[in-house]
């Protein structure tokens, strides 16, 4: 199992980038989208709520200290 090298660093970089991306979405996009959810049909609202949850959990923001 390779633990050091360019491929491992690139894989880690991808995960680190996605962590930042989800943190950005959860922090800035979620508050903008959330007020509009009640105006959506129930199936679409359900899908958007799952997106908001995935942003929050993907960012590691699902806990309080």
């Amino acid at each position: 199992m390779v633990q050091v090298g360019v491929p491992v660093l690139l894989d880690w970089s991808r995960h680190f980038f996605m962590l930042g991306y989800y943190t950005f979405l959860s922090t800035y996009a979620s508050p903008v989208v959330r007020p509009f959810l009640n105006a959506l049909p129930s199936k679409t609202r359900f899908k958007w709520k799952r997106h908001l949850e995935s942003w929050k959990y993907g960012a590691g923001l699902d806990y309080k200290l």
Side-chain angles (χ1 to χ4, degrees):
M1 175 191 234
V2 178
Q3 295 181 0
V4 179
V6 174
V8 175
L9 183 60
L10 290 174
D11 184 52
W12 176 84
S13 297
R14 181 177 59 90
H15 288 282
F16 191 74
F17 172 78
M18 291 306 294
L19 178 65
Y21 180 62
Y22 275 23
T23 301
F24 173 80
L25 289 173
S26 183
T27 303
Y28 298 107
S30 181
V32 173
V33 172
R34 197 170 295 281
F36 299 104
L37 291 181
N38 288 332
L40 298 173
S42 62
K43 285 186 179 185
T44 306
R45 183 172 52 240
F46 177 82
K47 288 180 183 180
W48 270 101
K49 284 184 177 184
R50 300 303 71 84
H51 282 298
L52 297 177
E53 286 177 355
S54 71
W55 296 347
K56 181 179 177 180
Y57 295 124
L61 300 173
D62 56 326
Y63 65 95
K64 302 257 185 201
L65 291 177

